[in-house]
Amino acid sequence: SLVLTQSPSVSVAPEKTARISCGGTNIGSKSVHWYQQKPGQAPVLVINYNSDRPSGIPERFSGSNSGNTATLTISRVEAGDEADYYCQVWDGRGDHPVFGGGTKLTVL
Amino acid sequence: QVQLQESGPGLVKPSETLSLTCTVSGGSISNYYWSWIRQPPGKGLEWIGYMYYTGNTNHNSSLRGRVTISLDTSKNQFSLRLSSMTAADTAVYYCARHEGPHAFDIWGQGTVVTVSS
């Protein structure tokens, strides 16, 4: 079964660029979705299908996916971006979802 | 806009069965998949299972047949039953919508379930 690996934490200064990675065997062949979860709140979809932004998500959020790594990039990081971020794909023949372990983004 | 709201007991005794309901408002339960996802304290997200409005269902094999998911189109609700609860099942339980093997685009606010005698 596919395992998605995320670094536990990433720290970045305000106005800088944060890159959060999600590793998995041949993940580049799958569609990766990213969720933002702030403390005490439900996850919110911020990137779907590798790089598409749902309505209402700032352009500062972008995504890419190739080979064995997918990346969520947050440009011009703001204090309000501090949250846990999870990647997710569908495994098997698309019959069950898999989540990464999550990355805690800290804004310095 | 579509909103999801979980409801159910916040406290369950060990060995008992958890029953949760997710009410869908602002839209129809038809034509979508509906999943249950949980998050133990301080941990990541774990998918429990889904049901399609036609009745097609699937669940996480790690839960070894403890999961039953049902759907009531007349009430615009879907439900989760998780049997043989243990302390390891203590978590925030979320319901979420998706269109097949795609992103979970709408989530409920989550409901805290604690397993304790």
Side-chain angles (χ1 to χ4, degrees):
Chain A
S1 184
L2 180 65
V3 174
L4 300 181
T5 301
Q6 297 184 241
S7 297
S9 63
V10 168
S11 299
V12 63
E15 293 297 313
K16 298 300 185 183
T17 297
R19 294 180 179 83
I20 297 171
S21 64
C22 175
T25 302
N26 200 27
I27 195 176
S29 67
K30 301 182 180 294
S31 290
V32 178
H33 314 295
W34 290 92
Y35 304 87
Q36 175 194 67
Q37 185 180 34
K38 295 182 179 180
Q41 298 183 20
V44 172
L45 179 67
V46 293
I47 292 289
N48 58 17
Y49 305 109
N50 301 321
S51 59
D52 290 346
R53 277 178 293 103
S55 174
I57 301 302
E59 292 183 6
R60 301 183 297 103
F61 288 79
S62 62
S64 63
N65 184 21
S66 179
N68 295 319
T69 304
T71 302
L72 171 68
T73 300
I74 309 172
S75 304
R76 301 181 302 282
V77 165
E78 303 174 355
D81 298 330
E82 193 162 275
D84 294 326
Y85 292 85
Y86 294 90
C87 58
Q88 177 253 316
V89 301
W90 283 79
D91 195 14
R93 290 172 292 180
D95 70 344
H96 66 274
V98 177
F99 289 95
T103 296
K104 180 177 181 59
L105 175 66
T106 298
V107 180
L108 300 173
Chain B
Q1 70 281 22
V2 175
Q3 293 183 315
L4 310 184
Q5 178 68 61
E6 304 90 348
S7 59
L11 181 65
V12 177
K13 290 182 170 55
S15 79
E16 291 188 342
T17 296
L18 170 68
S19 293
L20 296 177
T21 296
C22 182
T23 300
V24 180
S25 59
S28 173
I29 205 168
S30 298
N31 299 315
Y32 288 96
Y33 287 72
W34 304 94
S35 272
W36 289 97
I37 296 163
R38 69 182 182 179
Q39 185 172 36
K43 296 188 177 180
L45 301 167
E46 179 186 29
W47 174 72
I48 298 170
Y50 70 64
M51 174 162 267
Y52 189 44
Y53 80 104
T54 58
N56 178 35
T57 185
N58 191 19
H59 64 267
N60 192 327
S61 59
S62 69
L63 293 170
R64 292 189 291 273
R66 299 168 52 208
V67 176
T68 303
I69 297 175
S70 59
L71 186 148
D72 187 335
T73 55
S74 67
K75 294 182 178 179
N76 242 27
Q77 293 177 333
F78 65 106
S79 299
L80 168 71
R81 287 173 58 85
L82 184 63
S83 63
S84 304
M85 295 283 284
T86 71
D89 297 309
T90 293
V92 177
Y93 285 73
Y94 297 100
C95 55
R97 186 187 82 168
H98 52 110
E99 294 185 70
H102 302 291
F104 298 98
D105 62 345
I106 298 176
W107 296 64
Q109 65 184 28
T111 187
V112 177
V113 175
T114 302
V115 182
S116 175
S117 56

